[in-house]
Amino acid sequence: MSGSLLKDKNAVIYGGGGAIAGAVARVFAREGARVFIAGRTQAKLDAVARDIAATGGTAETALVDVLDQEAVDKHADTVAATAGGIDIAVNAVSVQHDQGTTLADLSLEEFMRPIDGFLRTLFITSKAVARHMGGERGGVILTLSEPGAKLAVGGILGHAVSAAGKEAFSRILAAELAPSNVRVIGIRPHAVVDAPAAGSYTKELFEQAAAAAGQSVQEMLEGGAMAQGTLLKRLPTLSEIAETAAFLASDRAGAMTGTIANLTSGAIVD
């Protein structure tokens, strides 16, 4: 049964074939949005689109390299022209990076990879959609960060700086776009317990840490140190993130902007 939380909204989701983006796309479509999913792997995009179509939703796919500013601009222009504007944009792009290496053994390239990758895509996608948003119709840009934005633990220098950068970007962008009636909200989930099984890059990302603990990645996420380090003693699910994103993108969250939705299960307490 479809909902109406996002009825008649046009939503662009970058990284659309990924675990989080796919979950968000499915919920957005269920809630009445017309969904445009963009990413680098057609097979993954098609799988999400098929799921949405099977439940009566509307989804259109596009192969887009989010590091290619011209390609992203062209795609956003096409979506806006086709749909009559863009109401919601979600950046759920993943960038493979190092976690676990401390400064002495970390190369400059490894340090910069997540910073340059994540922030470059965030700048490019935000700039592309912002000009198609606002006015009486309004608009919402949702970004994703990680607990590393606030944590003080070793071995996550590049990761943590990129996470903090994404949150700072969201706050400043919220200030810039508020006069145009565009809201910007960050979502900060912890590691997502069911994301690896859904094809997330985090399966590879966490393999080293899991092996060191003598566990599989799934065992580590379900009952390992990350889960035990939260107040709830569990990690968030794809469904929880997607449902929160739908609420934040809806008019029900119309007074929220320039803030971060904390979905860390209490690992970080604001």
Side-chain angles (χ1 to χ4, degrees), residues 41-106:
T41 309
Q42 190 65 52
K44 290 184 176 181
L45 297 174
D46 289 343
V48 176
R50 279 195 302 271
D51 288 347
I52 291 173
T55 57
T58 303
E60 298 175 40
T61 68
L63 274 178
V64 179
D65 178 358
V66 291
L67 292 173
D68 182 339
Q69 187 168 15
E70 186 178 346
V72 174
D73 285 346
K74 184 177 180 181
H75 173 256
D77 292 347
T78 300
V79 169
T82 301
I86 297 173
D87 303 296
I88 305 162
V90 182
N91 185 310
V93 173
S94 59
V95 177
Q96 190 61 262
H97 59 278
D98 175 88
Q99 287 193 31
T101 306
T102 54
L103 178 65
D105 298 312
L106 190 69

Side-chain angles (χ1 to χ4, degrees), residues 47 53 62 65 70 92 98 120 157 175 181 187 204 220 262:
D65 178 358
E70 186 178 346
D98 175 88
R120 188 178 291 263
L157 269 174
N181 194 24
I187 300 174
E204 182 181 345
M220 183 184 78
N262 184 345

Side-chain angles (χ1 to χ4, degrees), residues 48-254:
V48 176
R50 279 195 302 271
D51 288 347
I52 291 173
T55 57
T58 303
E60 298 175 40
T61 68
L63 274 178
V64 179
D65 178 358
V66 291
L67 292 173
D68 182 339
Q69 187 168 15
E70 186 178 346
V72 174
D73 285 346
K74 184 177 180 181
H75 173 256
D77 292 347
T78 300
V79 169
T82 301
I86 297 173
D87 303 296
I88 305 162
V90 182
N91 185 310
V93 173
S94 59
V95 177
Q96 190 61 262
H97 59 278
D98 175 88
Q99 287 193 31
T101 306
T102 54
L103 178 65
D105 298 312
L106 190 69
S107 71
L108 176 60
E109 182 187 3
E110 288 169 331
F111 172 70
M112 289 302 301
R113 187 176 300 131
I115 300 168
D116 184 67
F118 281 120
L119 293 176
R120 188 178 291 263
T121 69
L122 198 50
F123 178 89
I124 290 172
T125 57
S126 298
K127 191 174 179 70
V129 298
R131 65 180 185 273
H132 298 296
M133 289 180 163
E136 289 186 12
R137 186 164 178 156
V140 182
I141 294 175
L142 299 180
T143 68
L144 281 164
S145 67
E146 299 83 24
K150 295 280 188 179
L151 288 173
V153 298
I156 58 168
L157 269 174
H159 167 73
V161 171
S162 73
K166 287 186 282 186
E167 295 190 2
F169 182 95
S170 299
R171 287 194 300 272
I172 303 307
L173 192 64
E176 288 193 9
L177 298 183
S180 301
N181 194 24
V182 176
R183 299 187 291 117
V184 184
I185 302 175
I187 300 174
R188 185 202 296 148
H190 208 327
V192 186
V193 67
D194 51 345
S200 170
Y201 81 115
T202 55
K203 181 177 182 180
E204 182 181 345
L205 184 67
F206 295 141
E207 277 178 351
Q208 184 178 348
Q215 298 176 313
S216 69
V217 171
Q218 202 58 44
E219 287 169 341
M220 183 184 78
L221 293 178
E222 288 177 357
M226 276 195 285
Q228 294 306 310
T230 70
L231 294 181
L232 298 178
K233 305 302 179 188
R234 67 174 183 86
L235 295 172
T237 66
L238 288 170
S239 175
E240 288 169 336
I241 294 167
E243 297 289 351
T244 300
F247 167 75
L248 295 175
S250 76
D251 294 340
R252 294 184 189 178

